[in-house]
Amino acid sequence: MKTIVLDAYCLNPNNDLSWDWLKEIGDYEIYDRTKPEELIARAADADALLINKAILDAHNISQLPKLKYIGVLATGYNVVDTQYAREKGIVVTNIPAYSTMSVAQMVFAHILNITQQVAHYAAENKEGKWTACEDFCYSDTPLTELCDKNIGIVGLGNTGMATARIALAMGMKVLALTSKHTLPEGISAVDKDTLFAQSDIVSLHCPLTEQTHHIVNQHVLKLMKPTSILINTGRGPLIDEQALATALQNKQIRAAGLDVLTTEPPQPNNPLIGLSNCYITPHIAWATAEARQRLMQIAANNLRAFKQGNPTNKVI
């Protein structure tokens, strides 16, 4: 069996993970990146493909007659035409729940950076502001205690629940937009408008669907408190970015912390880039060393299981 990895760099940018396990599967080739025009030629002999963002639509899959397996090196698998793959008898797998705690950690990295202004004060100190201060401490921004604040969590899957547990440990009150009927103590289910209106912080953890596309829009932003904070570590298109930019510019809400955007990497004219109250990280919530190692191990287990005739983590 021949396995080809089409975009390995995303998973292994520091070359700190090993692909040696592929040797036990059979022949293999590894490419850091594959341009769309290179895909067919590189994948032509593959029985199995491992991909992250490479597009395997019906047109591409139809030109790969040997292909039997697609392993997506991520949780989301929208890069694959799964219906067409099913028609062709191709197994598609993904990597569920590998980065739950890393993403929840990033949620609070953004929250704490905004409420405690960590990056701001570190930069101020480098410029000598504290050294020149007449008092023992230096402060030029409001600071916010999280205890007893409301955090609204949109979607109580793995990462949403992990975020809720951290919030509860910090003494916060958790509101949730969820379809779950039974909730742990301390978490209250509310409707969408109530969540956005009553929350001091809103964190997005729902999947991207037709129903959740632009779930953050002009309507809900107008409901939010002027002191509130929006966090998105889920999917970029959950937010209407122009509506959010307007809300931030008009001080309709206090700040936003985003790890994902609608277009990645962002276009230079993205309305959120450059706003002083919008803190953007480059889609790295998932990418701790521990989460990447976990992802690699699950990917290996998925491919081994497929070769043995008992595929795991199948999406089709």
Side-chain angles (χ1 to χ4, degrees), residues 82-306:
T82 52
Q83 181 175 344
Y84 189 78
R86 181 186 294 110
E87 292 171 4
K88 294 298 180 181
I90 298 169
V91 171
V92 181
T93 66
N94 73 336
I95 315 288
Y98 69 92
S99 62
T100 298
M101 294 312 300
S102 293
V103 175
Q105 179 175 297
M106 179 62 91
V107 171
F108 276 89
H110 273 290
I111 291 172
L112 292 169
N113 181 55
I114 293 168
T115 57
Q116 299 296 119
Q117 290 289 291
V118 177
H120 167 74
Y121 284 111
E124 293 280 87
N125 286 340
K126 287 181 181 179
E127 294 180 6
K129 296 293 181 68
W130 191 15
T131 302
C133 184
E134 294 181 345
D135 304 303
F136 78 95
C137 67
Y138 168 77
S139 175
D140 66 351
T141 67
L143 303 176
T144 304
E145 183 175 87
L146 294 177
C147 185
D148 290 328
K149 297 294 189 297
N150 290 339
I151 183 169
I153 297 180
V154 180
L156 271 183
N158 290 320
T159 55
M161 191 63 77
T163 300
R165 288 195 296 268
I166 297 171
L168 290 170
M170 299 186 76
M172 301 184 75
K173 300 170 183 176
V174 179
L175 308 178
L177 183 62
T178 178
S179 59
K180 290 185 164 93
H181 299 295
T182 303
L183 298 175
E185 184 178 353
I187 301 178
S188 302
V190 295
D191 62 53
K192 182 174 70 173
D193 283 4
T194 299
L195 183 141
F196 280 92
Q198 295 187 2
S199 296
D200 299 289
I201 298 168
V202 174
S203 189
L204 306 179
H205 298 280
C206 56
L208 178 61
T209 65
E210 289 183 8
Q211 290 70 38
T212 61
H213 183 266
H214 286 187
I215 191 171
V216 176
N217 50 39
Q218 187 178 50
H219 169 73
V220 299
L221 287 164
K222 285 183 177 179
L223 296 176
M224 294 177 73
K225 304 175 184 179
T227 54
S228 63
I229 296 165
L230 176 68
I231 306 293
N232 188 14
T233 56
R235 294 287 182 265
L238 295 173
I239 295 176
D240 178 337
E241 291 178 349
Q242 184 57 63
L244 176 58
T246 300
L248 290 168
Q249 289 168 327
N250 294 339
K251 310 299 183 192
Q252 212 170 309
I253 67 172
R254 174 180 175 181
L258 312 175
D259 188 59
V260 290
L261 294 172
T262 297
T263 300
E264 298 175 342
Q267 298 297 313
N269 62 351
N270 184 297
L272 297 169
I273 292 177
L275 296 183
S276 61
N277 53 349
C278 189
Y279 304 84
I280 302 173
T281 48
H283 205 144
I284 55 171
W286 68 278
T288 61
E290 293 81 2
R292 290 186 299 106
Q293 179 61 62
R294 198 174 297 119
L295 191 159
M296 181 74 86
Q297 186 60 58
I298 297 170
N301 291 342
N302 283 352
L303 190 53
R304 290 187 188 108
F306 168 74

